[in-house]
Amino acid sequence: MLLRSHLFNLRSFASAVPNRTSPSPCSSIRRGNLLRATQSGAVSAAVESSAGQSESNSSSKNFNFARENLFIPPGVDIVDVTPEMILPGSNIVVGPYAGDAKITEVEFVKSSPKVKDCPKDDRPEFAIVGRSNVGKSSLINVLARKKEIALTSKKPGKTQAINHFLVNKSWYLVDLPGYGFANAPDSVRMDWSVFTKGFFLNRKTLVAVLLLVDASTPPQKIDLDCANWLGRNNVPMTFVFTKCDKRKGKKGNLPDDNIKNFLDLVRKHYQVPPPWIMTSSVTGFGGDNLLLHMSQLRNYWENY
Ligand code: GDP
């Protein structure tokens, strides 16, 4: 809970804050893998990178990056942020709480029909949610470096359940049912919203919601509604953009345009910029960085 209030009370950046050129303690973390680009170019730089192009195209000397939309984790001061501290293809700054992030073990624990049936231990958890077909199973398999972790709630109309997976025996990945099934009856849609909203608002061990959004399509109303509801209710969340390698049709928007449009539409519902990150389950782009981001949220949560 403390994390929840802390993350939402963090001030957004003032763009006039001068940059420092000396490295901060945080900048040593994964320096080799961090984006050397302006923040405003992060979206396109990430797409280039996911397409297999070199990240070195971007300038390492350009420190005029925009600070106002960055996600600043606990333990980082705005004035210490340098471009090297921003995860590639994201607005996320890496701070001192980032640590060992790799998934070595995933174990299915239980499928709970109601929030009150969920595991009652104190382990921190991340809920993963998104529209049906957004790429949730694919992303989870990328994170766990496995071919197939069975997700039990994939089929439209199937009994809604909250599925807990224990990761490295220390934290939970919680698979919530997908929303927006094209052919689902109204009763299923209604169930989804009552059920998941109850989870988001009542789970004391929830560190953050990972809201998956398909970057290969323009913003969809159902995703915007979900994002806006989470924002209005101060539920800590991270936008995870999926399918960032993909463009719908030759004339379709590029993923970075879709992402920019989406973020513009949800911004007003957030007091501070929510973290967002681009991923592709085809190239693997963003997977390790998402885990690193989750590690810093988790470690902070566990220590306070
Ligand atoms: P879920 O219903 O949310 O679990 O979605 P799936 O993981 O089953 O993926 C739905 C479809 O999108 C499948 O055809 C996947 O192959 C495809 N897909 C998932 N992730 C990506 C991605 O990152 N890039 C591309 N191009 N396709 C993806």
Side-chain angles (χ1 to χ4, degrees):
M1 286 307 101
L2 204 76
L3 173 71
R4 182 174 292 204
S5 54
H6 187 95
L7 292 180
F8 277 87
N9 287 329
L10 288 165
R11 295 261 169 84
S12 56
F13 286 146
S15 47
V17 172
N19 292 306
R20 287 184 183 170
T21 48
S22 57
S24 82
C26 314
S27 61
S28 59
I29 300 169
R30 293 172 58 91
R31 177 183 287 274
N33 195 22
L34 296 182
L35 183 68
R36 292 183 171 83
T38 63
Q39 161 63 14
S40 56
V43 169
S44 21
V47 171
E48 279 176 17
S49 163
S50 66
Q53 296 179 20
S54 163
E55 284 177 13
S56 62
N57 294 347
S58 44
S59 164
S60 59
K61 296 198 178 81
N62 186 354
F63 273 55
N64 292 323
F65 64 104
R67 290 166 179 263
E68 59 269 18
N69 290 323
L70 294 177
F71 171 76
I72 309 300
V76 176
D77 192 317
I78 174 179
V79 296
D80 291 326
V81 175
T82 61
E84 289 81 4
M85 293 163 67
I86 305 168
L87 290 174
S90 83
N91 71 333
I92 299 169
V93 172
V94 179
Y97 288 95
D100 190 16
K102 205 174 153 212
I103 293 182
T104 52
E105 195 186 337
V106 182
E107 180 192 335
F108 173 72
V109 175
K110 79 180 285 202
S111 192
S112 313
K114 296 208 167 118
V115 181
K116 69 176 177 50
D117 304 319
C118 290
K120 292 188 175 49
D121 57 78
D122 289 337
R123 293 182 176 107
E125 59 193 27
F126 292 87
I128 184 160
V129 70
R131 200 155 33 92
S132 152
N133 225 34
V134 70
K136 182 164 65 167
S137 328
S138 309
L139 180 71
I140 290 179
N141 289 328
V142 165
L143 297 181
R145 296 178 195 270
K146 288 219 165 140
K147 278 228 155 41
E148 190 133 357
I149 291 178
L151 296 182
T152 49
S153 56
K154 283 201 71 169
K155 295 267 162 27
K158 208 173 169 185
T159 312
Q160 310 265 312
I162 303 165
N163 296 298
H164 274 76
F165 293 86
L166 183 60
V167 181
N168 299 350
K169 299 207 188 308
S170 62
W171 56 276
Y172 289 113
L173 201 53
V174 186
D175 174 32
L176 292 175
Y179 54 78
F181 293 117
N183 302 318
D186 282 352
S187 58
V188 171
R189 293 171 197 238
M190 190 57 78
D191 276 0
W192 185 87
S193 103
V194 173
F195 178 76
T196 46
K197 285 179 182 175
F199 180 87
F200 296 143
L201 296 177
N202 298 320
R203 231 10 222 175
K204 298 213 170 5
T205 44
L206 181 66
V207 176
V209 175
L210 305 180
L211 175 58
L212 271 48
V213 179
D214 184 343
S216 70
T217 62
Q220 308 284 306
K221 183 176 181 312
I222 194 154
D223 294 329
L224 294 167
D225 286 349
C226 188
N228 293 340
W229 186 89
L230 291 168
R232 282 198 309 273
N233 286 282
N234 280 354
V235 179
M237 53 84 60
T238 295
F239 293 119
V240 178
F241 292 102
T242 61
K243 308 189 188 181
C244 292
D245 59 281
K246 186 174 163 188
R247 179 184 196 174
K248 282 249 163 85
K250 280 193 182 140
K251 291 190 177 157
N253 280 348
L254 288 168
D256 41 350
D257 294 328
N258 291 328
I259 292 171
K260 184 179 177 312
N261 293 340
F262 184 91
L263 292 171
D264 284 346
L265 287 167
V266 297
R267 196 153 280 146
K268 64 176 180 292
H269 294 282
Y270 290 84
Q271 290 170 26
V272 294
W276 60 264
I277 185 163
M278 301 172 80
T279 67
S280 163
S281 300
V282 170
T283 65
F285 183 80
D288 287 347
N289 289 326
L290 174 57
L291 286 173
L292 192 65
H293 167 60
M294 289 161 73
S295 83
Q296 64 180 356
L297 297 183
R298 200 172 60 240
N299 290 335
Y300 181 76
W301 190 92
E302 281 173 330
N303 284 297
Y304 287 90

